Amino acid sequence: MAELAAHAGEAHHPALQHHFVSLDQQRAASTLGMWVFIAQEILFFGGLFGAYTVYRTLYPDAFSAGSHHLSWKIGFFNTLVLIGSSLTMAMGVYSAAIGKSKAVVGFILATILLGGVFLGVKYFEYGEKIRPCLGDGPHTGCLVPGARFDAASLHLSGAEAGHVQIYFSLYFAMTGLHALHMIIGAPILLTIAYFAWRGRYSPEYHTPVELVGLYWHFVDIVWIFLFPLLYLIGHH
Amino acid sequence: MSHHVVSWKVYLGVFLALVALTVITVWVAGHDFGEFNLVVALGVAITKATLVVLYFMHARYSERLTHVVIASSLVFFAILVFLLLTDYVSRPWPLSPVAS
């Protein structure tokens, strides 16, 4: 009661919601909620990483053959782009913490731009594998698992021709789910940039900038694992 | 919850470390460590992820309850993979003849 009475007497920060005692408590609750969401995301991706572990254990040679067909240079480039976007995101949160709203907008827009570069490269990579599967041609180089999958272009036949399709199924599922997270993140970042531009955030209150940062860094971490696991198997 | 502002120099340092580790992960992939290829690749990836979580995601400066949530998600992921593998590696595979 004493706490509530003291709370009622304070001059409120406009961002403080009535069911929280202080901005610090509100921030701690929001941050914890975001981390619980991320914990759930780890297990969401975890199902795919689990499937990957099982099938790579069962068919190591097919996974190596599939991985050899991806360009590690493109994967390397995209890894650097995504790490760069994590830096701009971290700098955006930092700018919010020291009250530089203009810089927040700039850094978030840079983050979105780098995310766009990543997705553009991914679009090119997917296109290379999907385009041969379309139309009535011989489907040479088609790497979408299914009836049109061209195992001969990977110099594989027999059982391995089937096993390598499991690799490509996981490739599309894992990178696709990752890309979907980035596609969802971009409009959220844009919204936060708009609010920052309107001057809604301050050193006392910028929790939304921090939380979207946590989300973006998590998506970066997923890629940090996907790059060696998909692009660099038996690359020697 | 203390409002810890980390210097931008720390972020730049972490970024440079992540770039260096990305180069290292490509470089080690060019060498054959036999059974340890996957261990080395995952070791580098886990180091990178730890840097991101500790500094970019501020876990180093966050509350103990946040640490509990992070740790519990890793424990449950470990349970998922461990129990999956106990099932798959303890049975003959494939379970039925595969049409090839």
Side-chain angles (χ1 to χ4, degrees), chain B residues 6-84:
Chain B
V6 186
S7 164
W8 62 270
K9 287 173 190 157
V10 174
Y11 293 132
L12 193 64
V14 169
F15 168 75
L16 293 175
L18 290 173
V19 170
L21 286 164
T22 305
V23 173
I24 288 171
T25 202
V26 171
W27 181 74
V28 294
H31 294 71
D32 196 354
F33 300 100
E35 294 282 301
F36 293 99
N37 280 334
L38 185 60
V39 177
V40 173
L42 281 180
V44 176
I46 290 169
T47 308
K48 288 168 75 179
T50 306
L51 282 174
V52 174
V53 169
L54 285 181
Y55 294 99
F56 282 176
M57 298 172 89
H58 298 161
R60 197 181 154 183
Y61 316 102
S62 56
E63 295 189 321
R64 188 156 289 180
L65 193 53
T66 303
H67 296 170
V68 171
V69 171
I70 298 170
S72 67
S73 73
L74 298 179
V75 168
F76 277 97
F77 177 64
I79 292 171
L80 172 73
V81 173
F82 177 74
L83 289 183
L84 260 176

Side-chain angles (χ1 to χ4, degrees), chain A residues 83-93 106-108 110-112 114 216:
Chain A
I83 289 172
S85 83
S86 254
L87 174 66
T88 54
M89 187 67 242
M91 290 304 294
V93 175
F107 279 122
I108 292 182
T111 306
I112 296 171
L114 288 167
W216 196 260

Side-chain angles (χ1 to χ4, degrees), chain A residues 142-212:
Chain A
C142 168
L143 293 176
V144 177
R148 294 178 166 181
F149 188 83
D150 181 20
S153 70
L154 303 171
H155 312 291
L156 294 174
S157 58
E160 285 220 317
H163 299 158
V164 78
Q165 292 191 49
I166 298 175
Y167 168 83
F168 277 101
S169 296
L170 285 166
Y171 166 80
F172 280 114
M174 296 172 103
T175 59
L177 187 64
H178 176 263
L180 182 66
H181 275 78
M182 295 185 66
I183 292 167
I184 291 169
I188 299 173
L189 281 170
L190 202 59
T191 309
I192 299 296
Y194 172 74
F195 286 142
W197 177 65
R198 293 288 302 270
R200 184 184 281 205
Y201 306 124
S202 63
E204 294 76 37
Y205 173 72
H206 56 277
T207 311
V209 188
E210 292 183 313
L211 300 192
V212 78

Side-chain angles (χ1 to χ4, degrees), chain A residues 9 34 44 73-74 94-95 118 129 161 165 172 185 203 217 226-227:
Chain A
M34 193 65 200
F44 181 29
K73 285 173 187 165
I74 292 178
Y94 169 76
S95 306
F118 180 96
K129 296 170 184 66
Q165 292 191 49
F172 280 114
H217 296 312
L226 288 181
F227 174 53

